[in-house]
Amino acid sequence: CMLCFGNPLTATTHIQLLLDAKKNWVNVKVIEGISVTNALARTGLDEYKFGRTTTIAEPKQGFSPDSYYGFIEKNQKLGLHTLCLLDTGDGENFLNAKIGLELLEQIEKKKKKSTLKKSVLVVCCALASEKEKIVVGTLEQLKKIEFNSYPQSIIVCGKLSEKEKEVLSELHGFNG
């Protein structure tokens, strides 16, 4: 038995487990869970305006990737929103949105870019649960907030429609 967040077959590792089981004549039953991608509409952002999803990886000794920032830039050029999943680590110590924002800011400074400073950001915590929290703001505003319910993700908004702006303001109190 394996239990994971969201759709278990989204991760290529889990697809490989499915393939390995089939090769070894092991019967498998997959039960999909609720994924963050199923709950994105709760933010008020248009589901059809999301580009490629990326994962912000937690840096470790000798491992500090920043390639995910490139997907944010590519989506921005197309006016698309970017869902940034946060590294689930060992399944108990999740990467926090505040740290994720700091990592993105560090990469941006290193690359001498300003994508995040120009963008509306959305932090999603425990979507579709009783502890759900959706906070919309600028990078500077969101860096000051402690987010305590998990799992968490960050959305870097692309070009917002008038309806999206209205929803972010009316439902989530963003006036930017």
Side-chain angles (χ1 to χ4, degrees):
C1 176
M2 183 180 95
L3 179 65
C4 66
F5 284 106
N7 184 335
L9 299 180
T10 299
T12 54
T13 304
H14 302 157
I15 291 288
Q16 188 59 52
L17 290 173
L18 190 67
L19 292 170
D20 292 347
K22 182 173 173 74
K23 287 178 189 171
N24 290 292
W25 302 91
V26 175
N27 290 327
V28 176
K29 181 177 181 181
V30 177
I31 302 170
E32 282 80 9
I34 296 173
S35 170
V36 66
T37 58
N38 300 120
L40 286 177
R42 293 170 165 283
T43 64
L45 297 173
D46 184 341
E47 288 183 76
Y48 296 114
K49 288 180 54 187
F50 276 83
R52 181 171 174 168
T53 298
T54 191
T55 300
I56 298 174
E58 185 172 13
K60 303 205 183 314
Q61 188 172 354
F63 177 73
S64 186
D66 65 6
S67 57
Y68 49 85
Y69 185 84
F71 295 114
I72 295 169
E73 286 185 304
K74 287 176 185 173
N75 286 340
Q76 285 288 309
K77 286 178 185 171
L78 297 171
L80 301 174
H81 310 312
T82 306
L83 172 62
C84 301
L85 304 174
L86 297 175
D87 193 352
T88 57
D90 58 10
E92 291 182 26
N93 300 306
F94 299 100
L95 187 62
N96 183 287
K98 189 171 184 173
I99 295 170
L101 291 168
E102 289 170 2
L103 290 170
L104 287 171
E105 186 177 37
Q106 288 169 13
I107 293 166
E108 194 160 79
K109 283 180 182 175
K110 183 173 86 176
K111 293 181 177 282
K112 296 182 172 94
K113 303 283 183 160
S114 60
T115 300
L116 296 176
K117 290 184 178 161
K118 296 177 185 174
S119 300
V120 173
L121 303 170
V122 180
V123 172
C124 302
C125 304
L127 279 183
S129 80
E130 291 178 8
K131 295 180 179 180
E132 176 178 282
K133 186 173 186 177
I134 299 169
V135 184
V136 182
T138 64
L139 177 63
E140 292 306 314
Q141 291 168 334
L142 295 176
K143 284 188 337 183
K144 297 174 186 172
I145 301 172
E146 293 296 328
F147 301 102
N148 299 314
S149 52
Y150 293 88
Q152 299 176 1
S153 56
I154 299 168
I155 299 170
V156 180
C157 295
K159 184 171 173 44
L160 294 168
S161 69
E162 289 305 313
K163 183 56 71 181
E164 288 174 314
K165 289 176 187 176
E166 178 184 3
V167 172
L168 293 179
S169 173
E170 296 298 320
L171 295 184
H172 306 298
F174 179 68
N175 297 310

